[in-house]
Amino acid sequence: LDPRPPTMPDAGAQAGEEKAFFERKCPYSLGTKLLMSIQVPSLEVQTVLEFALKDGHQANVFEGVAGLVRGISGALKDSLQFVDVEGTAEKLKRLQSRASQALDAWNERLRLAGESVAQAEGVKEKAKTTMNAMRDAYFKELLCLKEQLYRQDKHKALGEEYLPTDVSIFDPTDYAFDDEVGKVV
C-alpha cells in the first residue's frame, strides 16, 4: 500500500478529458434530466437532486458538474481524505458485469420455472384424464348394479328366482397413479 495520501486532480486537464470522454461515449441524447446523488453515510444523509436539461446541452452540463465537483474537492481538500475520480469507470464495468450475471441467473430461474409449470400442467392433464376414466367406469358399474336390483324386484314380484350376474367394470388396480399424479389427486 502506498502510505502517501492521494493527490487532488488537476482541474484544467481533467475538464477537457471529461468533456471529450462524454462526447465520445455519449453522442446521443441521454434524456433531459441530470440526477445528482449526495450521500454522507456517517451523517445518515442521502438526497437526490434533479435538474431539467435543455436538449443538446448535456456535454456542457457534464463539464459544469465536473468543474463543480473539482471545486468542491479543492475547497474541502483539508477535510477530505480521498477523492475517487479515476476508478469510477472500472467500478461501472464491475457493476455492469455483476448486473449482467444477476440477470442471466434470473433468466435461468425463469426458464426453470417455465419448465416446471409445463411439467405440472402435463401431470395435471394426466390426472384429469385418469380421474375421468375412473368416474366413467364407476358410474357404468353402478348403473349395471341398479339394473340388476330392478330385475331382482321384478322377478320377486312374479315369484321367480333371479340369479344376478357378476358385474365388474370398475377395477381400482387399473388406475395406479405415479407419485406426482397422486400428489395432485
Side-chain angles (χ1 to χ4, degrees), residues 4 17 30 38 60 71 117 173-174 183:
R4 294 174 294 167
E17 291 173 15
L30 295 176
I38 301 172
N60 292 338
V117 167
T173 59
D174 290 343
K183 289 177 187 173

Side-chain angles (χ1 to χ4, degrees), residues 10-26:
D10 178 29
Q14 274 201 321
E17 291 173 15
E18 290 168 350
K19 184 175 182 181
F21 171 80
F22 184 80
E23 290 172 347
R24 191 173 58 251
K25 294 291 185 181
C26 305

Side-chain angles (χ1 to χ4, degrees), residues 7-82:
T7 58
M8 301 305 273
D10 178 29
Q14 274 201 321
E17 291 173 15
E18 290 168 350
K19 184 175 182 181
F21 171 80
F22 184 80
E23 290 172 347
R24 191 173 58 251
K25 294 291 185 181
C26 305
Y28 50 87
S29 174
L30 295 176
T32 58
K33 291 186 181 183
L34 167 66
L35 300 175
M36 293 180 62
S37 175
I38 301 172
Q39 299 177 6
V40 183
S42 62
L43 299 177
E44 297 181 0
V45 174
Q46 179 176 350
T47 187
V48 175
L49 304 174
E50 181 178 334
F51 301 91
L53 305 180
K54 293 180 181 177
D55 199 30
H57 291 264
Q58 290 86 355
N60 292 338
V61 170
F62 180 77
E63 182 181 329
V65 170
L68 179 64
V69 169
R70 283 190 301 279
I72 292 172
S73 62
L76 299 175
K77 68 181 175 185
D78 293 337
S79 301
L80 300 176
Q81 185 175 13
F82 177 69

Side-chain angles (χ1 to χ4, degrees), residues 6-180:
T7 58
M8 301 305 273
D10 178 29
Q14 274 201 321
E17 291 173 15
E18 290 168 350
K19 184 175 182 181
F21 171 80
F22 184 80
E23 290 172 347
R24 191 173 58 251
K25 294 291 185 181
C26 305
Y28 50 87
S29 174
L30 295 176
T32 58
K33 291 186 181 183
L34 167 66
L35 300 175
M36 293 180 62
S37 175
I38 301 172
Q39 299 177 6
V40 183
S42 62
L43 299 177
E44 297 181 0
V45 174
Q46 179 176 350
T47 187
V48 175
L49 304 174
E50 181 178 334
F51 301 91
L53 305 180
K54 293 180 181 177
D55 199 30
H57 291 264
Q58 290 86 355
N60 292 338
V61 170
F62 180 77
E63 182 181 329
V65 170
L68 179 64
V69 169
R70 283 190 301 279
I72 292 172
S73 62
L76 299 175
K77 68 181 175 185
D78 293 337
S79 301
L80 300 176
Q81 185 175 13
F82 177 69
V83 178
D84 180 13
V85 293
E86 296 178 16
T88 53
E90 186 60 35
K91 288 177 185 176
L92 177 62
K93 287 179 186 176
R94 285 195 307 266
L95 180 63
Q96 287 173 331
S97 174
R98 285 196 314 254
S100 178
Q101 290 170 354
L103 182 62
D104 291 343
W106 181 253
N107 284 333
E108 179 63 17
R109 281 186 256 162
L110 284 176
R111 185 189 64 76
L112 291 174
E115 289 175 2
S116 295
V117 167
Q119 183 181 7
E121 287 295 324
V123 169
K124 177 183 162 189
E125 194 59 37
K126 183 178 178 182
K128 181 179 174 183
T129 302
T130 303
M131 291 297 289
N132 285 339
M134 288 173 66
R135 187 175 26 258
D136 289 346
Y138 178 74
F139 282 122
K140 283 180 185 176
E141 187 170 324
L142 279 178
L143 187 63
C144 287
L145 290 172
K146 285 172 94 176
E147 179 66 27
Q148 285 190 28
L149 285 174
Y150 173 75
R151 287 183 183 186
Q152 181 181 6
D153 287 344
K154 193 173 182 182
H155 282 273
K156 190 176 186 181
L158 296 174
E160 299 174 358
E161 185 179 340
Y162 176 75
L163 294 173
T165 57
D166 184 26
V167 176
S168 187
I169 298 171
F170 176 75
D171 184 6
T173 59
D174 290 343
Y175 304 102
F177 290 108
D178 58 352
D179 290 340
E180 289 182 19

